[in-house]
């Protein structure tokens, strides 16, 4: 009689490393059968099919109905369907996903370009078109959808830091399938020397006080601590490194004349991979 398969029933198809056309497990039915419920495909011993592989899993003299569900153990890697003939049912592979090669973790200095290429292979024939995209990435990172080349120049604000990147490749099969891999990028902090901002040439009468303030700028982020110093100056001139204030009252004997004052600003960047103090 008929072999009832309810919605709770499952028929396991175990493809044991065999290819289409050779012996593999199947269920042979000698009487007419009515199908419904779920058929489940299971892969064992590391077997992975190819596109257009077809596996006869059921033979019967006649049938009515069809399975309502195909339980796929690897829905992200294999797409297949049940196809029914007059006397047999086959599992037919419609598409298999490409495989994205692992990308090693990367290290780059801030404000220096990183370039790395994602590479994928696909066993399906005829060859399919593969498209690359970034599922997640730091701001500014881009990928060439055709070649898989990833480029990124981290900004000053992005170093130091560690950033996660997820790359996905998708084929143009029917249905399309993809594969994702992840890697990290460590951005090194690089110290840049600070710059002094001086008031320029000054004029003062002898025995009159001149006062001005020295300032400094630094492009590094996070913000670096800056230290100021007076390197050389006319006799009796003073400099406060905390307030950055220069004071001098030239004497009667010092006028007329031209005098030079030299200042230094030094940063402190403990996270830098290069010199941590630059002036």
């Amino acid at each position: 009689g008929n072999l009832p398969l309810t919605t709770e029933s499952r028929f396991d198809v175990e493809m044991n490393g065999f290819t289409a056309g050779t012996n593999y497990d199947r269920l042979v039915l000698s009487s007419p059968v009515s199908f419904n419920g779920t058929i489940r495909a299971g892969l064992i011993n590391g077997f992975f099919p190819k596109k257009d592989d077809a596996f006869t899993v059921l033979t019967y003299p006649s049938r009515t109905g069809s399975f309502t569900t195909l339980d796929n153990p690897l829905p992200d890697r294999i797409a297949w369907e049940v196809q029914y003939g007059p006397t047999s049912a086959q599992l037919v592979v419609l598409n298999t996903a490409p495989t994205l090669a692992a990308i090693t973790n990367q290290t780059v200095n801030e404000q220096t370009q990183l370039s790395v290429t994602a590479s994928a292979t696909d066993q399906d024939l005829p060859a399919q078109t593969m498209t690359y995209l970034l599922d997640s990435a730091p701001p500014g990172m881009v990928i060439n959808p055709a070649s898989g080349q990833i480029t990124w120049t981290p900004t000053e604000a992005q170093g130091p830091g560690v950033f996660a990147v997820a790359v996905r490749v998708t084929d143009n099969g029917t249905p399309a399938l993809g594969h994702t891999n992840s890697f990290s990028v460590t951005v090194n902090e690089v110290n840049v020397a600070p710059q002094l901002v001086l008031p320029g040439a000054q004029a003062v009468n002898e025995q009159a006080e001149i006062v001005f303030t020295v300032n400094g700028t630094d492009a590094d982020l996070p913000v670096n601590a800056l230290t100021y110093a007076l390197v050389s100056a006319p006799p009796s001139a003073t400099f406060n490194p905390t307030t950055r204030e220069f004071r001098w009252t030239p004497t009667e004997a010092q006028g007329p004349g031209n005098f030079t004052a030299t200042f230094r600003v030094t940063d402190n960047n403990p996270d830098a991979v290069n010199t941590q103090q630059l002036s």
Side-chain angles (χ1 to χ4, degrees), residues 121-274:
T121 57
D122 193 324
Q123 66 173 355
D124 294 332
L125 294 174
Q128 297 176 341
T129 300
M130 291 183 285
T131 302
Y132 299 87
L133 58 88
L134 295 172
D135 273 352
S136 61
M141 180 176 285
V142 297
I143 188 170
N144 185 308
S147 68
Q149 185 180 35
I150 301 167
T151 54
W152 182 42
T153 302
T155 66
E156 172 64 41
Q158 289 171 316
V162 179
F163 300 85
V165 182
V167 184
R168 181 169 180 82
V169 61
T170 304
D171 64 21
N172 66 334
T174 304
L177 293 175
H179 185 210
T180 301
N181 260 337
S182 299
F183 66 100
S184 67
V185 180
T186 298
V187 179
N188 291 329
E189 170 72 16
V190 177
N191 195 14
V192 177
Q195 300 296 313
L196 274 171
V197 181
L198 299 178
Q202 303 288 302
V204 63
N205 293 332
E206 58 188 12
Q207 302 186 61
E209 185 179 51
I210 181 172
V211 180
F212 60 82
T213 300
V214 173
N215 291 304
T217 62
D218 190 89
D220 288 317
L221 293 173
V223 176
N224 293 339
L226 300 181
T227 302
Y228 297 84
L230 179 63
V231 178
S232 63
S236 74
T238 63
F239 178 71
N240 186 321
T242 302
T243 63
R244 308 183 308 281
E245 187 178 73
F246 174 85
R247 289 179 175 272
W248 180 45
T249 302
T251 66
E252 174 66 35
Q254 291 173 316
N258 292 317
F259 298 86
T260 300
T262 301
F263 302 86
R264 176 184 294 120
V265 60
T266 304
D267 65 12
N268 183 35
N269 192 338
D271 295 322
V273 293
N274 59 335

Side-chain angles (χ1 to χ4, degrees), residues 76-170:
D76 294 334
R77 302 292 292 152
I78 306 171
W80 46 14
E81 67 179 7
V82 183
Q83 296 181 359
Y84 302 93
T87 60
S88 65
Q90 290 186 320
L91 275 178
V92 179
V93 180
L94 304 177
N95 190 25
T96 63
T99 298
L100 188 62
I103 302 175
T104 58
N105 294 335
Q106 304 290 307
T107 300
V108 64
N109 291 340
E110 59 186 10
Q111 303 187 78
T112 301
Q113 187 182 70
L114 169 73
S115 180
V116 62
T117 300
S119 177
T121 57
D122 193 324
Q123 66 173 355
D124 294 332
L125 294 174
Q128 297 176 341
T129 300
M130 291 183 285
T131 302
Y132 299 87
L133 58 88
L134 295 172
D135 273 352
S136 61
M141 180 176 285
V142 297
I143 188 170
N144 185 308
S147 68
Q149 185 180 35
I150 301 167
T151 54
W152 182 42
T153 302
T155 66
E156 172 64 41
Q158 289 171 316
V162 179
F163 300 85
V165 182
V167 184
R168 181 169 180 82
V169 61
T170 304

